[in-house]
Amino acid sequence: MNKKLRKAIIAGNWKMNNTPAQTKKTINELKPLVEKCKKCEIVLCVPFVDIQNAVKAAKDTNIKIGAQNVHFAEKGAYTGEISAQMLLECGVEYVIIGHSERRQYFGETDETVNKRVLAALNAGLKVILCVGEVLTEREQDVTSEVVSRQTKIALLGVDKKMLKNVVIAYEPVWAIGTGKVATADQADEVCGIIRNVLAEKYGAKAAEGTTIQYGGSMNAQNSAELLAKVNVDGGLIGGASLKPADFAQIVKNAQ
Ligand code: PGA
């Protein structure tokens, strides 16, 4: 098991926060704080309408821009939706797919997650695929089954070459936005389970090379311990990504 085989990625998930003007200001504040950080990739996943300003503000820096969802069709009568091609043309490199808030509030299923993953990868986007159990599933001791199922279905039709553009984020739903963080051992254990699922399908080498993040109330204080774990290769950060100083500290802790 060797952490050096994979890239550390710290990604911010702004969710429905920051207007286009606030986007410019926040990224301009963040830039000098992370400019010397070369060892980990830095991504900000912003609301669709903020993408243009985010891409402009992050130009020629080490900050990459992502979106928070993508539709699976190439184009057509899907009012309110955004295609992979539209994102690419705006300068987006990453897209979050299957976030638990989309699964909980917007009818996302393992099957639609799979369709979005395929559409995004085929178009040339990199995917941050979110999986994670809800509290009752953890209490019933079925976390392993749940994340294994979510991972397997999401990756149907994804071959080894495509896997290179997939990052997986383990996000226990009970830890998201609650301030109730998983212990470093819990995070490491489940990220390891996900890595085993990848190893079964793609072989040990491909699994060892895949970045698996932890997400759920990660912050400037608890990130060092989580990120030190062998199976935790980065973080998907919600609340703390809105504060440049806190987000920069997490990036530093991933170095
Ligand atoms: P949080 O969100 O850091 O605010 O818990 C994480 C996420 O939902 O990606």
Side-chain angles (χ1 to χ4, degrees), residues 15 99-108 173 176:
K15 309 192 181 186
H99 191 279
S100 65
E101 285 150 19
R102 301 236 41 108
R103 294 181 194 251
Q104 276 184 305
Y105 311 139
F106 301 101
E108 194 78 73
V173 180
I176 295 178

Side-chain angles (χ1 to χ4, degrees), residues 7-68:
K7 213 170 15 184
I9 303 177
I10 298 295
N13 174 12
W14 280 6
K15 309 192 181 186
M16 199 173 72
N17 292 291
N18 285 334
T19 65
Q22 290 165 338
T23 295
K24 211 170 134 190
K25 186 170 168 277
T26 306
I27 295 180
N28 283 337
E29 254 177 76
L30 177 66
K31 279 195 280 198
L33 305 179
V34 296
E35 67 184 353
K36 293 205 180 76
C37 301
K38 303 272 186 263
K39 285 200 194 127
C40 91
E41 202 159 297
I42 305 167
V43 184
L44 288 178
C45 298
V46 306
F48 291 132
V49 295
D50 294 338
I51 287 171
Q52 243 181 342
N53 275 5
V55 168
K56 246 192 257 169
K59 194 167 181 277
D60 299 325
T61 72
N62 55 347
I63 301 168
K64 299 182 168 174
I65 301 305
Q68 300 171 10

Side-chain angles (χ1 to χ4, degrees), residues 64-226:
K64 299 182 168 174
I65 301 305
Q68 300 171 10
N69 193 19
V70 63
H71 196 260
F72 39 78
E74 261 176 55
K75 61 178 179 176
Y78 301 99
T79 303
E81 294 297 322
I82 303 282
S83 75
Q85 202 54 46
M86 292 170 183
L87 295 177
L88 276 170
E89 242 185 80
C90 292
V92 165
E93 193 169 328
Y94 280 90
V95 61
I96 296 174
I97 296 179
H99 191 279
S100 65
E101 285 150 19
R102 301 236 41 108
R103 294 181 194 251
Q104 276 184 305
Y105 311 139
F106 301 101
E108 194 78 73
T109 65
D110 289 337
E111 287 69 28
T112 55
V113 167
N114 175 238
K115 285 166 88 170
R116 288 180 215 275
V117 166
L118 291 174
L121 292 175
N122 286 330
L125 289 166
K126 293 176 186 160
V127 167
I128 300 176
L129 165 66
C130 300
V131 299
E133 82 287 3
V134 299
L135 185 60
T136 50
E137 291 166 334
R138 176 155 287 266
E139 285 167 351
Q140 289 160 11
D141 209 14
V142 292
T143 297
S144 172
E145 285 87 334
V146 170
V147 299
S148 300
R149 185 203 74 228
Q150 290 175 334
T151 306
K152 281 182 200 162
I153 299 178
L155 296 178
L156 285 174
V158 173
D159 64 23
K160 211 188 222 181
K161 207 168 141 225
M162 293 157 87
L163 185 72
K164 287 194 182 8
N165 286 324
V166 176
V167 173
I168 299 183
Y170 165 54
E171 298 208 306
V173 180
W174 47 270
I176 295 178
T178 56
K180 205 167 139 189
V181 66
T183 66
D185 285 337
Q186 284 172 330
D188 190 47
E189 184 195 3
V190 184
C191 290
I193 290 169
I194 295 166
R195 204 176 302 286
N196 287 338
V197 170
L198 298 180
E200 271 170 37
K201 178 166 174 169
Y202 300 102
K205 197 166 163 233
E208 284 284 305
T210 303
T211 300
I212 303 180
Q213 303 171 313
Y214 166 79
S217 299
M218 192 188 268
N219 60 33
Q221 287 77 40
N222 61 29
S223 49
E225 192 189 351
L226 288 158

